[in-house]
Amino acid sequence: MATLLIVHHTPSPNCQALLEAVVSGATAPEIEGVRVVRRAALTATAVDVLEADGYLLGTPANLGYMSGALKHFFDQVYYPCLDETRGRPFGYYVHGGSDTTGAVRGIESVTTGLGWQRAAPAVNVTGEPAKADLAACWELGATLAAGLMG
Ligand SMILES: Cc1cc2nc3c(=O)[nH]c(=O)nc-3n(C[C@H](O)[C@H](O)[C@H](O)COP(=O)(O)O)c2cc1C
């Protein structure tokens, strides 16, 4: 069975709403044969990454970059996973107060280095998520998971 690994940093209710929408999409009844594993970014390991077939990342924008937690995740897994995960699909969402540019740039940069292939448009949200934002997150989760169906 294929595995979708969701690695997220979720420090607030607005971020939680995006995470839940992503999980809801990834676990929609139409999607069969895909195991969805959720890991807080500070607890995710290189083994989690190696054992998964695709990745969904979620983070707030903090100080013009991805959260320290998601950066810590990449610091931990980058070299142990570099050879074996090249080409695998990924997607991501970013939540910010006003400007997510640096966080987006950081995620694009590190995933390019890993050779991961973005399988869905990134979702960028500022402030309280609107219905359309939650729908975009649902779509993100569903797209990533559907892409892993056998
Ligand atoms: C220390 C700190 C730095 C932050 N830096 C940014 C930033 O650079 N860009 C941005 O858009 N939001 C920034 N924010 C806002 C967070 O992204 C936001 O608080 C987080 O996404 C949670 O959203 P919420 O507070 O609306 O629930 C920052 C928040 C904190 C606490």
Side-chain angles (χ1 to χ4, degrees):
M1 181 181 281
T3 298
L4 175 63
L5 175 66
I6 300 177
V7 179
H8 63 98
H9 182 54
T10 305
S12 80
N14 284 338
C15 293
Q16 182 72 23
L18 301 187
L19 172 64
E20 284 173 10
V22 156
V23 170
S24 173
T27 58
E30 301 81 3
I31 292 167
E32 292 170 353
V34 180
R35 191 168 68 108
V36 176
V37 175
R38 298 161 59 155
R39 291 278 185 268
L42 290 174
T43 70
T45 66
V47 173
D48 291 327
V49 176
L50 291 169
E51 287 182 348
D53 302 283
Y55 312 105
L56 211 161
L57 313 164
T59 184
N62 281 350
L63 304 172
Y65 199 63
M66 71 182 85
S67 63
L70 192 63
K71 180 179 181 296
H72 173 76
F73 164 74
F74 281 119
D75 288 348
Q76 297 295 309
V77 308
Y78 189 90
Y79 282 109
C81 299
L82 184 56
D83 290 337
E84 292 180 52
T85 63
R86 194 166 287 281
R88 291 185 188 170
F90 83 102
Y92 67 93
Y93 63 89
V94 178
H95 184 271
S98 57
D99 181 9
T100 61
T101 311
V104 167
R105 191 185 310 118
I107 293 169
E108 291 285 346
S109 172
V110 69
T111 50
T112 296
L114 283 162
W116 293 359
Q117 302 292 316
R118 190 155 56 71
V123 177
N124 265 291
V125 180
T126 53
E128 186 174 351
K131 271 190 181 168
D133 298 320
L134 298 174
C137 280
W138 191 97
E139 196 66 35
L140 175 65
T143 301
L144 262 292
L148 297 179
M149 284 171 66

